[in-house]
Amino acid sequence: MNDQQQEPTLLQRFLHWESRMPDSLYLTQPYGQGQVDTYSWREVGDQARRMASYLLSLDLPAQSNIGILGRNSAHWIMADLAIWMAGHVSVPLYASASRDTVAYVLEHAQVRLLFLDHLDGGNAGWEKVQGAVPRGLSVVELPLSAVAAGQHWQALIDAWAPLQAVAQPRRADLATLIYTSGSTGQPKGVMHSFDSMCRGCEASTVMYAGGRGASSSDRLLSYLPLAHTAERAVVETLSLYHGCQVFFNESLETFAADLRRARPTIFLSMPRLWGKFYHGICERIPLAAQQAALADPQQAAAMRQQILGALGLDQVHTALSGSAPLPVAVLEWYRQLGLELLEGYGMSENFGCSHFSVPGQVRVGYVGATIPGVECRIAGDGEVLVKSPGQMLGYYRQPDLTRDCYGEDGFFHTGDRGEVDEQGRLRITGRVKELFKTAKGKYVAPVPIEARLGNNGHVEGACVAGSGLAQPIALLNVSLETRQSLADPQQRAALEDELETFLGELNGQLEAHERLDCLVVVSEPWTIENGLLTPTLKIRRNLIEERYQGRFDPWCASRRKVIFE
């Protein structure tokens, strides 16, 4: 048996499932107005092979970079497979990316062809970025795109026969460039080989089904951007490696129905959505009524089934969360329902393969211990250093930056600060470069304070700032429901009292130099569209601080504890 047979790539894993269970369903795609199409492994293979034939006809150099711009869909994955079958490298771009970002990535990655899927905002989304696509760059529109920007997927697969002799990449070969979301500066092109993607997946077996791993009986819902490492690892890579079935989300409006259709067994989400589920159920079933039923042995099982069934989560055996700390109240609520939310930690640079919380050993505020095969150290300045089976090959066309982020011992410098408890569980305490010094000469780490602010149900995002101030302040991005309530003077006054009480309780838990001078409820929501959130919903701290910096002193001078901008 040769090395490729011993260590298959993701493409070879796909070919395995295509051969072993050709008629089993792989991808389920809603198309709007109640239409839902399903694609078997055989059908996915047929379309990907036909598109690969077209790509080969272009006579591009081997390992050319091919872009995929758009929201998740069944054909997004087919396009990725076609790229690999033709011996090329995929370069995903976020559907919400700005014109400048699209232009930068297409130029920096030297993209030779662009697959275009549906974008955020539909035609308006395309109009926003089309000027960034160089003249002469070939565009292939996937079925959900309808902007007449290039050749259409269906026409091409009708015109070309399936490629039989697909490429046989080695594990060491470059598979994809994953561009970071650019929370600071320009995105970086993280180079991942088939080896790093597969080894990251293999090492992450411990994350699923209590350590038993994923299987072909598992179902996944894809809705977080496939251009991001988390979705790429937990949905696409997991499905290709283990033969899982994937369902796609059509839109925000259909999310609940799409989730109930999929009834996933493995579900990855962000704290913001876990919180929305919690608040949504509490509006329908008062928390007191839930608690009473859950405390009654004769009613508890029915209440759990009612809530999880309504959410479409009643079949979940592995519930994952990442990107930000979970509010304690939300974590405890799901635990009462028998669904333990497991937090993890990873980066684009190690394909998300770093730390994970084990069922029964979850510690609030911690992201778990290292995944088997991962090594972690805490440097003298508190920086988290990691060696991972999923480690990248480097940053594309940036050898100096690649060299600078590794120590002589081969450990990757994450840029995150952290601490490890007696069981090896990691707590992220902020970014090394995010520490700021107050006017009193004391350093403040904003991230742990922001995590505590997130425990308030009104808060969707927080940014703690205060470089040069006597005490830090917190800017709050509140939920849509809360923002709408501010039009009512009585509700506004009640919220002010509630937040002032919350601030007092929070300050009682902080060191003297960390205590917040005031909470500022900002008037404009932070969104991806206005550039204050990354496509993965992280705050762009530098841009937020720049926007409000000139008002910090007047806000503090007002001596008010809660300020509505």
Side-chain angles (χ1 to χ4, degrees), residues 351-402:
F351 207 59
C353 180
S354 185
H355 290 70
F356 182 67
S357 297
V358 176
Q361 299 180 31
V362 173
R363 181 176 179 184
V364 174
Y366 287 70
V367 293
T370 53
I371 289 170
V374 174
E375 299 177 59
C376 176
R377 294 178 186 167
I378 305 298
D381 63 354
E383 185 176 13
V384 179
L385 312 179
V386 172
K387 268 187 184 179
S388 168
Q391 205 65 42
M392 66 175 180
L393 296 175
Y395 294 116
Y396 187 64
R397 297 176 62 192
Q398 293 182 294
D400 292 343
L401 185 59
T402 302

Side-chain angles (χ1 to χ4, degrees), residues 235-456:
V235 173
E236 186 193 38
T237 299
L238 198 70
S239 71
L240 291 172
Y241 199 95
H242 294 287
C244 312
Q245 188 177 355
V246 180
F247 294 74
F248 290 89
N249 165 230
E250 179 187 342
S251 66
L252 181 62
E253 292 72 27
T254 67
F255 186 85
D258 294 335
L259 184 55
R260 286 192 293 269
R261 177 189 300 116
R263 295 181 74 206
T265 57
I266 296 170
F267 185 62
L268 166 68
S269 191
M270 301 295 114
R272 192 168 170 181
L273 186 60
W274 288 119
K276 282 185 177 294
F277 287 164
Y278 163 66
H279 292 297
I281 291 295
C282 289
E283 287 177 4
R284 293 163 54 186
I285 309 173
L287 190 57
Q290 294 178 43
Q291 299 293 355
L294 292 171
D296 184 338
Q298 294 183 337
Q299 298 183 53
M303 177 57 72
R304 292 189 186 100
Q305 178 62 35
Q306 179 184 350
I307 293 174
L308 293 177
L311 294 172
L313 300 176
D314 55 316
Q315 297 296 305
V316 171
H317 60 64
T318 304
L320 308 173
S321 184
S323 87
L326 279 162
V328 176
V330 173
L331 189 68
E332 292 295 338
W333 183 75
Y334 282 102
R335 189 174 287 169
Q336 283 186 304
L337 297 175
L339 194 62
E340 187 162 31
L341 303 190
L342 302 173
E343 295 184 82
Y345 167 76
M347 309 185 73
S348 297
E349 288 82 352
N350 54 36
F351 207 59
C353 180
S354 185
H355 290 70
F356 182 67
S357 297
V358 176
Q361 299 180 31
V362 173
R363 181 176 179 184
V364 174
Y366 287 70
V367 293
T370 53
I371 289 170
V374 174
E375 299 177 59
C376 176
R377 294 178 186 167
I378 305 298
D381 63 354
E383 185 176 13
V384 179
L385 312 179
V386 172
K387 268 187 184 179
S388 168
Q391 205 65 42
M392 66 175 180
L393 296 175
Y395 294 116
Y396 187 64
R397 297 176 62 192
Q398 293 182 294
D400 292 343
L401 185 59
T402 302
R403 187 167 50 251
D404 291 346
C405 69
Y406 285 96
E408 292 182 2
D409 54 6
F411 277 75
F412 178 74
H413 287 247
T414 67
D416 289 319
R417 298 174 69 250
E419 57 190 37
V420 175
D421 71 4
E422 67 286 351
Q423 293 188 31
R425 294 171 297 198
L426 175 67
R427 184 168 80 96
I428 301 298
T429 58
R431 295 287 291 172
V432 172
K433 295 181 180 179
E434 284 178 352
L435 287 176
F436 62 82
K437 187 186 290 186
T438 66
K440 298 176 182 177
K442 295 285 190 177
Y443 281 102
V444 174
V447 171
I449 304 173
E450 289 162 358
R452 293 176 187 242
L453 288 163
N455 287 330
N456 186 285

Side-chain angles (χ1 to χ4, degrees), residues 104-120:
Y104 174 80
V105 172
L106 293 180
E107 185 282 326
H108 184 262
Q110 302 167 312
V111 166
R112 298 298 192 104
L113 179 143
L114 180 66
F115 284 108
L116 179 65
D117 212 326
H118 56 318
L119 301 175
D120 291 355

